[in-house]
């Protein structure tokens, strides 16, 4: 049933989004990437959470709808596939296992008809809930079944990824051991664009902090272009959060 759902849902998916790149995709990718910050204030975070409560939507759904709207405005069309990771732990037998059980799903967002953001959010919410209910098919299996047009250096089915991390940050406390996190000085990227947001809560469970960054393919984008794209998304979120409440 899940295979049938995805086969139907992703039929005739665009092979590649028409993103506003600075350069054509090279025949041989370097996989070099860069990072641009997405400016999110605590006030904007609180407003987005409030919007979610009013619209019965999660922050992740609001970010998905906002990103789809931005890509459409930038010329990507009205058929927007966005990939996102999901914790593949739907089986109770996995509860006591230690391991990495993450799958990748594709959210196909229809932005046609110049919808209001409220209507677009409703579409995204419905599509997200459907995807969650059909999350057990491995992404690699979907690629095999759908047989999308392939090109070296281009991710099949989607090229833009959205990630929201809202779990408790892990910590490592071992006796007589000190540990620090190290980041790569020369980042690489698997996708054209990866929008990553990290959400924390305060001690009372209210809005804490929302930080965001855009990881981009240096083969396609200059840093200045990626930073403008990040700022446009932040500006769009501000407009959405400050718009008059709609039913």
């Amino acid at each position: 049933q899940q295979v049938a759902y995805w086969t139907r849902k992703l039929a005739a998916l665009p092979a590649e989004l028409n993103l506003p790149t600075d350069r054509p995709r090279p025949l041989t990718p370097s996989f070099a990437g860069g990072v641009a910050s997405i400016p999110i204030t605590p006030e904007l975070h609180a407003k987005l959470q409030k919007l979610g409560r009013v619209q019965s939507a999660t922050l992740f759904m609001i970010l998905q709808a906002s990103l789809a709207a931005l890509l459409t405005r930038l010329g990507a069309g009205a058929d927007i596939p966005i990939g996102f990771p999901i914790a593949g732990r739907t089986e109770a037998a996995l509860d006591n296992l230690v391991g990495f059980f993450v799958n990748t799903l594709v959210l196909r967002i229809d932005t046609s008809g110049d919808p209001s953001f409220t209507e677009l959010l409703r579409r995204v919410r419905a599509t997200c809930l459907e995807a969650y209910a059909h999350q057990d098919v491995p992404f690699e299996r979907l690629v095999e079944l759908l047989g999308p047009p392939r090109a070296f250096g281009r991710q099949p089915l989607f090229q833009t990824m959205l990630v929201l991390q809202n779990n408790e940050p892990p910590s490592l406390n071992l006796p007589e051991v000190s540990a620090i996190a190290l980041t790569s000085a020369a980042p690489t990227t698997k996708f054209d664009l990866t929008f990553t947001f990290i959400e924390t809560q305060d001690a009372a469970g209210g809005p804490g902090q929302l930080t965001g960054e855009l990881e981009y393919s240096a083969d396609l984008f200059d840093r200045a272009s990626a930073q403008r794209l990040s700022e446009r998304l932040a500006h769009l979120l501000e407009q959405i959060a400050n718009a008059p409440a709609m039913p």
Side-chain angles (χ1 to χ4, degrees), residues 78-201:
D79 190 356
I80 308 293
I82 299 175
F84 66 97
I86 188 164
R89 285 183 172 270
T90 56
E91 294 292 334
L94 300 176
D95 289 349
N96 295 323
L97 291 180
V98 176
F100 196 63
F101 293 93
V102 172
N103 192 17
T104 300
L105 301 182
V106 183
L107 197 70
R108 188 177 191 177
I109 305 174
D110 176 15
T111 64
S112 63
D114 194 23
S116 66
F117 185 77
T118 300
E119 171 57 28
L120 180 59
L121 186 57
R122 287 173 181 158
R123 296 180 190 179
V124 169
R125 180 179 183 274
T127 305
C128 273
L129 294 178
E130 288 180 358
Y132 299 158
H134 299 83
Q135 63 175 279
D136 299 318
V137 182
F139 177 77
E140 295 80 5
R141 179 62 176 150
L142 276 181
V143 174
E144 292 178 1
L145 291 171
L146 295 171
R150 304 297 295 270
F152 186 58
R154 184 185 69 197
Q155 172 75 17
L157 300 183
F158 71 93
Q159 295 86 44
T160 298
M161 170 76 85
L162 175 65
V163 180
L164 174 63
Q165 300 281 8
N166 54 8
N167 295 326
E168 187 71 20
S171 61
L172 180 63
N173 297 307
L174 299 175
E176 301 180 10
V177 173
S178 299
I180 60 173
L182 297 179
T183 58
S184 172
T188 60
T189 182
K190 296 190 237 179
F191 309 105
D192 295 352
L193 298 171
T194 301
F195 295 83
T196 301
F197 294 87
I198 300 176
E199 182 187 31
T200 59
Q201 309 292 333

Side-chain angles (χ1 to χ4, degrees), residues 38-40 44 48 62-71 74 162 195-197 213-214 226-240:
I38 304 174
I40 304 289
L44 175 56
L48 292 174
I62 293 174
L63 294 173
Q64 283 272 16
S66 302
L67 179 55
L70 176 64
L71 294 178
L74 293 176
L162 175 65
F195 295 83
T196 301
F197 294 87
E213 67 177 25
L214 168 60
Q227 190 61 56
R228 283 195 299 270
L229 189 57
S230 300
E231 292 169 356
R232 285 176 178 174
L233 179 58
H235 180 65
L236 178 58
L237 290 171
E238 285 277 5
Q239 290 182 310
I240 291 165

Side-chain angles (χ1 to χ4, degrees), residues 31-49:
F31 300 106
V35 175
S37 63
I38 304 174
I40 304 289
T41 64
E43 293 76 17
L44 175 56
H45 181 207
K47 289 178 181 179
L48 292 174
Q49 285 196 328

